[in-house]
mmCIF file of all heavy atoms in Angstrom:
data_model
loop_
_atom_site.group_PDB
_atom_site.id
_atom_site.type_symbol
_atom_site.label_atom_id
_atom_site.label_comp_id
_atom_site.label_asym_id
_atom_site.label_seq_id
_atom_site.Cartn_x
_atom_site.Cartn_y
_atom_site.Cartn_z
ATOM 1 N N ALA M 1115 116.582 100.310 97.642
ATOM 2 C CA ALA M 1115 117.266 101.537 97.238
ATOM 3 C C ALA M 1115 116.427 102.757 97.608
ATOM 4 O O ALA M 1115 115.242 102.645 97.924
ATOM 5 C CB ALA M 1115 117.522 101.507 95.732
ATOM 6 N N ASP M 1116 117.044 103.906 97.579
ATOM 7 C CA ASP M 1116 116.376 105.195 97.797
ATOM 8 C C ASP M 1116 115.776 105.319 99.194
ATOM 9 O O ASP M 1116 114.676 105.861 99.359
ATOM 10 C CB ASP M 1116 115.294 105.442 96.739
ATOM 11 C CG ASP M 1116 115.840 105.442 95.324
ATOM 12 O OD1 ASP M 1116 116.906 106.045 95.121
ATOM 13 O OD2 ASP M 1116 115.206 104.850 94.439
ATOM 14 N N ASN M 1117 116.466 104.781 100.191
ATOM 15 C CA ASN M 1117 116.051 104.946 101.586
ATOM 16 C C ASN M 1117 114.635 104.432 101.820
ATOM 17 O O ASN M 1117 113.786 105.112 102.392
ATOM 18 C CB ASN M 1117 116.150 106.425 101.998
ATOM 19 C CG ASN M 1117 115.988 106.625 103.495
ATOM 20 O OD1 ASN M 1117 116.419 105.802 104.294
ATOM 21 N ND2 ASN M 1117 115.356 107.728 103.882
ATOM 22 N N ARG M 1118 114.375 103.213 101.380
ATOM 23 C CA ARG M 1118 113.050 102.611 101.545
ATOM 24 C C ARG M 1118 113.182 101.230 102.161
ATOM 25 O O ARG M 1118 114.249 100.621 102.157
ATOM 26 C CB ARG M 1118 112.337 102.488 100.194
ATOM 27 C CG ARG M 1118 112.083 103.803 99.463
ATOM 28 C CD ARG M 1118 111.558 103.547 98.049
ATOM 29 N NE ARG M 1118 112.515 102.770 97.279
ATOM 30 C CZ ARG M 1118 112.195 101.996 96.228
ATOM 31 N NH1 ARG M 1118 110.936 101.909 95.848
ATOM 32 N NH2 ARG M 1118 113.131 101.323 95.592
ATOM 33 N N TRP M 1119 112.080 100.734 102.680
ATOM 34 C CA TRP M 1119 111.973 99.351 103.146
ATOM 35 C C TRP M 1119 110.578 98.864 102.802
ATOM 36 O O TRP M 1119 109.754 99.627 102.289
ATOM 37 C CB TRP M 1119 112.256 99.243 104.646
ATOM 38 C CG TRP M 1119 111.462 100.143 105.532
ATOM 39 C CD1 TRP M 1119 111.586 101.497 105.651
ATOM 40 C CD2 TRP M 1119 110.430 99.754 106.440
ATOM 41 N NE1 TRP M 1119 110.692 101.984 106.567
ATOM 42 C CE2 TRP M 1119 109.968 100.950 107.073
ATOM 43 C CE3 TRP M 1119 109.860 98.549 106.804
ATOM 44 C CZ2 TRP M 1119 108.957 100.946 108.036
ATOM 45 C CZ3 TRP M 1119 108.857 98.546 107.775
ATOM 46 C CH2 TRP M 1119 108.412 99.720 108.362
ATOM 47 N N ALA M 1120 110.296 97.595 103.026
ATOM 48 C CA ALA M 1120 109.024 97.030 102.576
ATOM 49 C C ALA M 1120 108.502 96.006 103.573
ATOM 50 O O ALA M 1120 109.261 95.443 104.374
ATOM 51 C CB ALA M 1120 109.183 96.389 101.201
ATOM 52 N N VAL M 1121 107.208 95.787 103.514
ATOM 53 C CA VAL M 1121 106.551 94.745 104.299
ATOM 54 C C VAL M 1121 105.684 93.925 103.354
ATOM 55 O O VAL M 1121 104.836 94.478 102.642
ATOM 56 C CB VAL M 1121 105.684 95.338 105.427
ATOM 57 C CG1 VAL M 1121 104.931 94.220 106.153
ATOM 58 C CG2 VAL M 1121 106.536 96.121 106.405
ATOM 59 N N LEU M 1122 105.922 92.624 103.314
ATOM 60 C CA LEU M 1122 105.101 91.714 102.524
ATOM 61 C C LEU M 1122 104.218 90.913 103.473
ATOM 62 O O LEU M 1122 104.719 90.281 104.405
ATOM 63 C CB LEU M 1122 105.962 90.763 101.693
ATOM 64 C CG LEU M 1122 105.217 89.810 100.743
ATOM 65 C CD1 LEU M 1122 106.110 89.437 99.559
ATOM 66 C CD2 LEU M 1122 104.750 88.520 101.427
ATOM 67 N N THR M 1123 102.916 90.949 103.239
ATOM 68 C CA THR M 1123 101.962 90.193 104.048
ATOM 69 C C THR M 1123 101.245 89.197 103.154
ATOM 70 O O THR M 1123 100.761 89.574 102.087
ATOM 71 C CB THR M 1123 100.935 91.122 104.711
ATOM 72 O OG1 THR M 1123 101.627 92.138 105.442
ATOM 73 C CG2 THR M 1123 100.029 90.345 105.656
ATOM 74 N N LYS M 1124 101.183 87.935 103.574
ATOM 75 C CA LYS M 1124 100.453 86.919 102.821
ATOM 76 C C LYS M 1124 99.435 86.244 103.737
ATOM 77 O O LYS M 1124 99.717 85.964 104.908
ATOM 78 C CB LYS M 1124 101.411 85.896 102.197
ATOM 79 C CG LYS M 1124 102.315 85.184 103.170
ATOM 80 C CD LYS M 1124 103.382 84.353 102.462
ATOM 81 C CE LYS M 1124 102.834 83.139 101.767
ATOM 82 N NZ LYS M 1124 103.902 82.213 101.304
ATOM 83 N N ILE M 1125 98.258 86.009 103.184
ATOM 84 C CA ILE M 1125 97.135 85.438 103.922
ATOM 85 C C ILE M 1125 96.489 84.371 103.052
ATOM 86 O O ILE M 1125 96.301 84.578 101.849
ATOM 87 C CB ILE M 1125 96.095 86.523 104.275
ATOM 88 C CG1 ILE M 1125 96.735 87.655 105.065
ATOM 89 C CG2 ILE M 1125 94.919 85.938 105.045
ATOM 90 C CD1 ILE M 1125 95.812 88.847 105.274
ATOM 91 N N HIS M 1126 96.131 83.252 103.635
ATOM 92 C CA HIS M 1126 95.494 82.200 102.837
ATOM 93 C C HIS M 1126 94.133 82.666 102.335
ATOM 94 O O HIS M 1126 93.383 83.334 103.043
ATOM 95 C CB HIS M 1126 95.337 80.911 103.644
ATOM 96 C CG HIS M 1126 95.144 79.717 102.762
ATOM 97 N ND1 HIS M 1126 93.951 79.418 102.131
ATOM 98 C CD2 HIS M 1126 96.013 78.735 102.395
ATOM 99 C CE1 HIS M 1126 94.085 78.321 101.416
ATOM 100 N NE2 HIS M 1126 95.330 77.890 101.553
ATOM 101 N N HIS M 1127 93.830 82.285 101.094
ATOM 102 C CA HIS M 1127 92.585 82.726 100.467
ATOM 103 C C HIS M 1127 91.348 82.190 101.188
ATOM 104 O O HIS M 1127 90.253 82.759 101.055
ATOM 105 C CB HIS M 1127 92.565 82.279 98.997
ATOM 106 C CG HIS M 1127 91.853 83.236 98.091
ATOM 107 N ND1 HIS M 1127 90.772 83.989 98.497
ATOM 108 C CD2 HIS M 1127 92.062 83.560 96.787
ATOM 109 C CE1 HIS M 1127 90.346 84.727 97.486
ATOM 110 N NE2 HIS M 1127 91.116 84.495 96.442
ATOM 111 N N CYS M 1128 91.482 81.115 101.962
ATOM 112 C CA CYS M 1128 90.319 80.614 102.701
ATOM 113 C C CYS M 1128 89.902 81.578 103.809
ATOM 114 O O CYS M 1128 88.785 81.499 104.320
ATOM 115 C CB CYS M 1128 90.596 79.226 103.284
ATOM 116 S SG CYS M 1128 91.688 79.212 104.721
ATOM 117 N N ILE M 1129 90.788 82.513 104.176
ATOM 118 C CA ILE M 1129 90.480 83.497 105.211
ATOM 119 C C ILE M 1129 89.807 84.721 104.609
ATOM 120 O O ILE M 1129 88.862 85.267 105.193
ATOM 121 C CB ILE M 1129 91.760 83.939 105.939
ATOM 122 C CG1 ILE M 1129 92.350 82.779 106.740
ATOM 123 C CG2 ILE M 1129 91.494 85.132 106.858
ATOM 124 C CD1 ILE M 1129 93.636 83.127 107.460
ATOM 125 N N ALA M 1130 90.282 85.169 103.462
ATOM 126 C CA ALA M 1130 89.839 86.479 102.985
ATOM 127 C C ALA M 1130 89.898 86.602 101.478
ATOM 128 O O ALA M 1130 90.783 86.042 100.828
ATOM 129 C CB ALA M 1130 90.711 87.566 103.619
ATOM 130 N N ASP M 1131 88.927 87.366 100.921
ATOM 131 C CA ASP M 1131 88.992 87.779 99.532
ATOM 132 C C ASP M 1131 89.769 89.090 99.458
ATOM 133 O O ASP M 1131 90.388 89.521 100.447
ATOM 134 C CB ASP M 1131 87.582 87.916 98.940
ATOM 135 C CG ASP M 1131 86.692 88.882 99.730
ATOM 136 O OD1 ASP M 1131 87.231 89.742 100.464
ATOM 137 O OD2 ASP M 1131 85.457 88.779 99.620
ATOM 138 N N GLY M 1132 89.750 89.744 98.290
ATOM 139 C CA GLY M 1132 90.553 90.943 98.117
ATOM 140 C C GLY M 1132 90.203 92.055 99.084
ATOM 141 O O GLY M 1132 91.085 92.665 99.699
ATOM 142 N N ILE M 1133 88.907 92.350 99.231
ATOM 143 C CA ILE M 1133 88.496 93.432 100.127
ATOM 144 C C ILE M 1133 88.854 93.111 101.570
ATOM 145 O O ILE M 1133 89.378 93.950 102.305
ATOM 146 C CB ILE M 1133 86.989 93.711 99.976
ATOM 147 C CG1 ILE M 1133 86.718 94.380 98.627
ATOM 148 C CG2 ILE M 1133 86.480 94.594 101.109
ATOM 149 C CD1 ILE M 1133 85.258 94.682 98.366
ATOM 150 N N ALA M 1134 88.576 91.875 101.995
ATOM 151 C CA ALA M 1134 88.889 91.496 103.372
ATOM 152 C C ALA M 1134 90.395 91.535 103.619
ATOM 153 O O ALA M 1134 90.846 91.916 104.711
ATOM 154 C CB ALA M 1134 88.340 90.106 103.675
ATOM 155 N N THR M 1135 91.192 91.160 102.622
ATOM 156 C CA THR M 1135 92.645 91.199 102.775
ATOM 157 C C THR M 1135 93.132 92.627 102.972
ATOM 158 O O THR M 1135 93.977 92.898 103.839
ATOM 159 C CB THR M 1135 93.334 90.583 101.552
ATOM 160 O OG1 THR M 1135 92.957 89.210 101.440
ATOM 161 C CG2 THR M 1135 94.842 90.674 101.672
ATOM 162 N N THR M 1136 92.596 93.560 102.188
ATOM 163 C CA THR M 1136 93.022 94.949 102.351
ATOM 164 C C THR M 1136 92.607 95.496 103.713
ATOM 165 O O THR M 1136 93.288 96.362 104.276
ATOM 166 C CB THR M 1136 92.448 95.844 101.241
ATOM 167 O OG1 THR M 1136 91.020 95.724 101.213
ATOM 168 C CG2 THR M 1136 93.012 95.466 99.890
ATOM 169 N N GLN M 1137 91.500 94.994 104.253
ATOM 170 C CA GLN M 1137 91.092 95.433 105.583
ATOM 171 C C GLN M 1137 92.059 94.946 106.653
ATOM 172 O O GLN M 1137 92.377 95.664 107.610
ATOM 173 C CB GLN M 1137 89.684 94.922 105.896
ATOM 174 C CG GLN M 1137 88.598 95.556 105.042
ATOM 175 C CD GLN M 1137 88.600 97.067 105.160
ATOM 176 O OE1 GLN M 1137 88.356 97.632 106.212
ATOM 177 N NE2 GLN M 1137 88.904 97.740 104.058
ATOM 178 N N VAL M 1138 92.550 93.718 106.491
ATOM 179 C CA VAL M 1138 93.552 93.196 107.427
ATOM 180 C C VAL M 1138 94.824 94.034 107.341
ATOM 181 O O VAL M 1138 95.417 94.415 108.363
ATOM 182 C CB VAL M 1138 93.848 91.719 107.127
ATOM 183 C CG1 VAL M 1138 95.045 91.233 107.944
ATOM 184 C CG2 VAL M 1138 92.626 90.853 107.421
ATOM 185 N N LEU M 1139 95.250 94.345 106.119
ATOM 186 C CA LEU M 1139 96.461 95.145 105.949
ATOM 187 C C LEU M 1139 96.293 96.532 106.557
ATOM 188 O O LEU M 1139 97.235 97.087 107.134
ATOM 189 C CB LEU M 1139 96.796 95.258 104.455
ATOM 190 C CG LEU M 1139 97.120 93.938 103.745
ATOM 191 C CD1 LEU M 1139 97.339 94.180 102.265
ATOM 192 C CD2 LEU M 1139 98.331 93.276 104.366
ATOM 193 N N ALA M 1140 95.091 97.098 106.431
ATOM 194 C CA ALA M 1140 94.844 98.417 107.004
ATOM 195 C C ALA M 1140 95.002 98.401 108.517
ATOM 196 O O ALA M 1140 95.481 99.371 109.115
ATOM 197 C CB ALA M 1140 93.443 98.902 106.621
ATOM 198 N N LYS M 1141 94.607 97.294 109.137
ATOM 199 C CA LYS M 1141 94.727 97.199 110.596
ATOM 200 C C LYS M 1141 96.186 97.094 111.043
ATOM 201 O O LYS M 1141 96.503 97.379 112.194
ATOM 202 C CB LYS M 1141 93.920 96.007 111.105
ATOM 203 C CG LYS M 1141 92.413 96.213 110.957
ATOM 204 C CD LYS M 1141 91.632 94.992 111.374
ATOM 205 C CE LYS M 1141 90.139 95.209 111.185
ATOM 206 N NZ LYS M 1141 89.332 94.014 111.513
ATOM 207 N N PHE M 1142 97.065 96.680 110.140
ATOM 208 C CA PHE M 1142 98.490 96.675 110.454
ATOM 209 C C PHE M 1142 99.064 98.085 110.419
ATOM 210 O O PHE M 1142 100.115 98.353 111.010
ATOM 211 C CB PHE M 1142 99.257 95.803 109.458
ATOM 212 C CG PHE M 1142 99.156 94.327 109.726
ATOM 213 C CD1 PHE M 1142 99.611 93.413 108.788
ATOM 214 C CD2 PHE M 1142 98.611 93.837 110.898
ATOM 215 C CE1 PHE M 1142 99.520 92.048 109.030
ATOM 216 C CE2 PHE M 1142 98.514 92.478 111.141
ATOM 217 C CZ PHE M 1142 98.978 91.574 110.200
ATOM 218 N N SER M 1143 98.424 99.004 109.686
ATOM 219 C CA SER M 1143 98.964 100.351 109.514
ATOM 220 C C SER M 1143 98.603 101.252 110.691
ATOM 221 O O SER M 1143 97.777 100.903 111.533
ATOM 222 C CB SER M 1143 98.433 100.960 108.215
ATOM 223 O OG SER M 1143 97.068 101.315 108.364
ATOM 224 N N ASP M 1144 99.205 102.437 110.706
ATOM 225 C CA ASP M 1144 98.898 103.406 111.761
ATOM 226 C C ASP M 1144 97.465 103.899 111.656
ATOM 227 O O ASP M 1144 96.883 104.348 112.643
ATOM 228 C CB ASP M 1144 99.840 104.614 111.669
ATOM 229 C CG ASP M 1144 101.295 104.232 111.900
ATOM 230 O OD1 ASP M 1144 101.546 103.074 112.290
ATOM 231 O OD2 ASP M 1144 102.169 105.085 111.681
ATOM 232 N N ASN M 1145 96.887 103.835 110.457
ATOM 233 C CA ASN M 1145 95.510 104.290 110.251
ATOM 234 C C ASN M 1145 94.498 103.391 110.936
ATOM 235 O O ASN M 1145 93.347 103.767 111.128
ATOM 236 C CB ASN M 1145 95.199 104.360 108.749
ATOM 237 C CG ASN M 1145 96.169 105.253 108.008
ATOM 238 O OD1 ASN M 1145 97.363 104.997 107.983
ATOM 239 N ND2 ASN M 1145 95.652 106.302 107.397
ATOM 240 N N GLY M 1146 94.926 102.169 111.263
ATOM 241 C CA GLY M 1146 94.078 101.234 111.977
ATOM 242 C C GLY M 1146 92.860 100.820 111.203
ATOM 243 O O GLY M 1146 92.919 100.582 109.999
ATOM 244 N N ALA M 1147 91.734 100.718 111.886
ATOM 245 C CA ALA M 1147 90.512 100.209 111.269
ATOM 246 C C ALA M 1147 89.675 101.299 110.615
ATOM 247 O O ALA M 1147 88.520 101.073 110.260
ATOM 248 C CB ALA M 1147 89.665 99.486 112.313
ATOM 249 N N ASP M 1148 90.221 102.505 110.450
ATOM 250 C CA ASP M 1148 89.471 103.586 109.821
ATOM 251 C C ASP M 1148 89.330 103.301 108.328
ATOM 252 O O ASP M 1148 90.298 103.388 107.577
ATOM 253 C CB ASP M 1148 90.188 104.921 110.036
ATOM 254 C CG ASP M 1148 89.469 106.085 109.365
ATOM 255 O OD1 ASP M 1148 88.294 105.905 108.985
ATOM 256 O OD2 ASP M 1148 90.087 107.154 109.233
ATOM 257 N N THR M 1149 88.134 102.944 107.897
ATOM 258 C CA THR M 1149 87.897 102.605 106.490
ATOM 259 C C THR M 1149 87.042 103.657 105.790
ATOM 260 O O THR M 1149 86.509 103.418 104.726
ATOM 261 C CB THR M 1149 87.196 101.242 106.386
ATOM 262 O OG1 THR M 1149 85.953 101.304 107.122
ATOM 263 C CG2 THR M 1149 88.061 100.137 106.960
ATOM 264 N N SER M 1150 86.926 104.839 106.384
ATOM 265 C CA SER M 1150 86.062 105.864 105.821
ATOM 266 C C SER M 1150 86.560 106.387 104.483
ATOM 267 O O SER M 1150 85.797 106.963 103.711
ATOM 268 C CB SER M 1150 85.923 107.029 106.800
ATOM 269 O OG SER M 1150 87.200 107.600 107.073
#
C-alpha cells in the first residue's frame, strides 16, 4: 500500500553475522560499499 514495494534478502548464518549481513545488503543498494 501507499505506493511502496519491498525487497527481502536472506543469507545463511554460516556466511555472515549481523554486521556482515548489513554490509552485504549495503552493496545491493545504490550507496554501494560506502560504510563511512
Side-chain angles (χ1 to χ4, degrees):
D1116 301 317
N1117 191 35
R1118 299 172 300 155
W1119 53 289
V1121 176
L1122 184 153
T1123 306
K1124 57 189 290 191
I1125 303 172
H1126 200 283
H1127 213 327
C1128 74
I1129 293 179
D1131 56 21
I1133 289 179
T1135 298
T1136 56
Q1137 292 303 296
V1138 171
L1139 297 176
K1141 291 176 181 177
F1142 281 169
S1143 73
D1144 297 351
N1145 303 61
D1148 178 15
T1149 58
S1150 60

